[in-house]
Amino acid sequence: MSTNKRWLSVFAAVLMSGAAVAYAGEVPASFDAKNCKAEYPKASLMNEEQGTVSMMFLVKADGTVADSKVEKSSGFKNLDKAAIKAISACKFKPGTKDGAPAETWTKVDYAWKLD
């Protein structure tokens, strides 16, 4: 089957883990996964690469990303880079500390899957 005709689906989920909540009264940032998707890298499509990348994002009080890092690789550098780049460009709902918008770390798992 031609790569161009293959149906693709990418699933993203924000996981609120204990590691993301460092202090009592802190709620990590979140984003709308339906409106924030990464484009499948062409080389990864051709090589039929799939996997889930676990990332951490430091989200400022204004909802923009200040820093990001890969916690666990998908096993493919192109998929990891594409996920970090796309999610870093997304507008997040800021996290809060004691009810006020604040800079917080949040965990995001992004699953790349070919159908």
Side-chain angles (χ1 to χ4, degrees):
M1 177 184 290
S2 168
T3 305
N4 294 335
K5 295 187 181 193
R6 179 173 293 155
W7 286 95
L8 304 176
S9 61
V10 179
F11 302 97
V14 176
L15 301 178
M16 304 304 177
S17 70
V21 180
Y23 302 100
E26 183 177 312
V27 177
S30 61
F31 73 102
D32 183 1
K34 293 177 186 172
N35 293 322
C36 190
K37 296 183 180 182
E39 186 174 329
Y40 224 105
K42 290 180 183 177
S44 296
L45 277 173
M46 290 180 6
N47 293 323
E48 299 183 354
E49 298 171 349
Q50 301 182 84
T52 300
V53 57
S54 295
M55 304 162 287
M56 293 292 292
F57 292 92
L58 180 60
V59 180
K60 297 190 279 187
D62 67 0
T64 60
V65 174
D67 194 13
S68 62
K69 59 186 174 183
V70 173
E71 290 279 294
K72 184 177 179 220
S73 174
S74 65
F76 301 100
K77 195 175 255 187
N78 285 340
L79 295 181
D80 296 348
K81 285 182 181 180
I84 283 280
K85 182 179 177 182
I87 304 300
S88 291
C90 293
K91 180 74 171 179
F92 281 73
K93 177 182 176 191
T96 60
K97 288 183 184 172
D98 298 322
E103 186 173 83
T104 59
W105 282 97
T106 191
K107 182 179 179 181
V108 177
D109 286 346
Y110 202 92
W112 299 93
K113 184 176 179 181
L114 298 170
D115 281 343

